[in-house]
Amino acid sequence: DTLPSRLRNFAVDGMTVLPPDARNVIVCRYRLCFDAPVPPAVLPGQRRRLDAANLRIDGGRTRVTAVVAASLRLDRDGSRVCRHEEALVADPLAVGTSIAHFELLSARSAALQPGGQLELLREPLAYWSALRGMMRVELDEIRRRSESDEAAVLGGEGGVSDDEFEAAFRAYMVRIFAIGFVPPLAAFA
């Protein structure tokens, strides 16, 4: 699967590409637009966020946009790409952006899964990868927003460490499973 085939009405819009600089680096910025499924709002807080976002929802989908900034480092001859970096640059905590980022991460992860795997595991593994990716992006953004102006100017922490991320992800998973299992267990107790 390619990204456009997985994401309905996929379009690239507003692309700006600058010519190579003195370091042989090309920078570009573009928008990816597509129709994404609106996740089910199970918790009251999730419902409030979706309602407050005023998304136009049609058939369980909404139009979302992700802004991507990319850089391509060329070899000395300027004929081959040596390194490619890209980042999603819009506010990852905004509802529409969050949906767009999750769907892009999920679609990309599914497309990158090895072909020899059981097809049955492809989507759950892609979902797991996207969930971890989104949580990392959101934790980094929360850290960035909590830094003082001085820390941001001096370089700050640079996001959460791998150990901090793993601890936060484990705590999140425990909370999610508790929310799902405790009420039914309490009903039978």
Side-chain angles (χ1 to χ4, degrees), residues 32-55:
L32 302 175
C33 307
F34 55 93
D35 297 338
V38 177
V42 178
L43 302 175
Q46 292 170 324
R47 283 192 206 107
R48 282 192 299 275
R49 275 188 77 207
L50 280 172
D51 291 343
N54 293 322
L55 300 175

Side-chain angles (χ1 to χ4, degrees), residues 34-181:
F34 55 93
D35 297 338
V38 177
V42 178
L43 302 175
Q46 292 170 324
R47 283 192 206 107
R48 282 192 299 275
R49 275 188 77 207
L50 280 172
D51 291 343
N54 293 322
L55 300 175
R56 198 175 107 223
I57 300 171
D58 183 24
R61 292 185 168 270
T62 188
R63 189 79 176 160
V64 294
T65 301
V67 180
V68 179
S71 66
L72 302 156
R73 181 174 298 279
L74 304 176
D75 64 6
R76 289 183 185 202
D77 300 332
S79 59
R80 299 178 80 191
V81 175
C82 304
R83 184 176 185 164
H84 171 249
E85 294 177 352
E86 63 185 6
L88 299 165
V89 295
D91 179 6
L93 301 178
V95 173
T97 306
S98 181
I99 293 170
H101 288 184
F102 181 82
E103 289 301 319
L104 281 171
L105 289 171
S106 182
R108 175 179 276 171
S109 180
L112 293 175
Q113 293 294 325
Q117 249 180 46
L118 287 175
E119 201 58 37
L120 184 64
L121 295 178
R122 188 178 191 148
E123 291 300 322
L125 290 173
Y127 176 84
W128 185 258
S129 177
L131 180 64
R132 288 180 59 84
M134 278 302 300
M135 186 164 184
R136 184 68 183 243
V137 167
E138 290 172 355
L139 286 174
D140 284 341
E141 180 65 14
I142 290 166
R143 168 71 58 84
R144 187 190 66 73
R145 288 182 183 187
S146 69
E147 289 180 341
S148 67
D149 290 339
E150 293 83 9
V153 168
L154 296 173
E157 296 283 323
V160 296
S161 69
D162 290 343
D163 290 340
E164 290 172 313
F165 169 71
E166 291 301 332
F169 189 75
R170 281 191 299 274
Y172 171 76
M173 293 310 297
V174 167
R175 269 194 323 271
I176 292 301
F177 283 113
I179 288 169
F181 288 116

